[in-house]
Amino acid sequence: MTRTDEKVGYLPEGKPVEYTPFTAASGVEEVIRMLEGRWKLLILFQLFGGKLLRFSDLERAIPAISQKMLIQQLRQMESDGIVTRLVHHQVPPKVEYGLTEWGQSLCPMLDGLLKWAERRPRAGNPSPAG
């Protein structure tokens, strides 16, 4: 008999995943693919902190993005499970975007990446690792 976690493709809590160099690299490449794009990180940073923003609010917050590109990026992030789209059935229609719990969990990861980048040694000024 097949276990439920094998049927639905997730591992139960407490069961550590053991990565090989290949599977680790593949996993990181998949995450980078989800976040690549000129605007996705900007959209994420607008939505961090549990904010729910209407489409027009996101347009105002990122003035250089076109409507078409904003729609495209939001749809991709929604299909990847990072962004949620909340439709309020009213007149006029109201749609809000926010981060899923999983999307919100990116915040400390990106903060760590930013702090790591700040420690980058500059040319002619190498600093010791650590």
Side-chain angles (χ1 to χ4, degrees):
M1 181 167 201
T2 306
R3 292 175 35 164
T4 303
D5 62 294
E6 292 169 354
K7 289 179 189 174
V8 295
Y10 71 89
L11 294 174
E13 286 291 320
K15 196 173 191 181
V17 177
E18 294 186 25
Y19 292 104
T20 66
F22 179 79
T23 60
S26 296
V28 171
E29 285 174 352
E30 178 65 16
V31 170
I32 290 171
R33 184 205 58 78
M34 280 188 251
L35 299 177
E36 74 183 352
R38 182 171 178 190
W39 306 104
K40 286 182 180 177
L41 289 173
L42 224 63
I43 293 167
L44 273 173
F45 281 100
Q46 291 298 322
L47 296 174
F48 278 144
K51 294 179 196 167
L52 285 176
L53 296 177
R54 295 180 75 165
F55 185 86
S56 58
D57 296 331
L58 284 168
E59 275 186 306
R60 278 191 294 277
I62 312 169
I65 193 170
S66 69
Q67 279 190 353
K68 178 183 175 186
M69 185 56 68
L70 181 55
I71 290 167
Q72 187 178 65
Q73 300 281 276
L74 286 167
R75 283 183 180 159
Q76 287 174 0
M77 293 169 74
E78 185 180 7
S79 71
D80 286 333
I82 299 169
V83 168
T84 185
R85 182 175 184 260
L86 181 62
V87 179
H88 299 277
H89 298 286
Q90 63 185 45
V91 177
K94 179 180 176 183
V95 178
E96 292 178 312
Y97 294 89
L99 295 177
T100 62
E101 186 178 331
W102 186 64
Q104 183 64 41
S105 71
L106 271 167
C107 188
M109 308 310 155
L110 294 177
D111 187 51
L113 193 58
L114 184 59
K115 288 178 181 171
W116 173 78
E118 289 171 354
R119 294 180 27 214
R120 178 179 175 210
R122 301 291 173 215
N125 188 18
S127 63

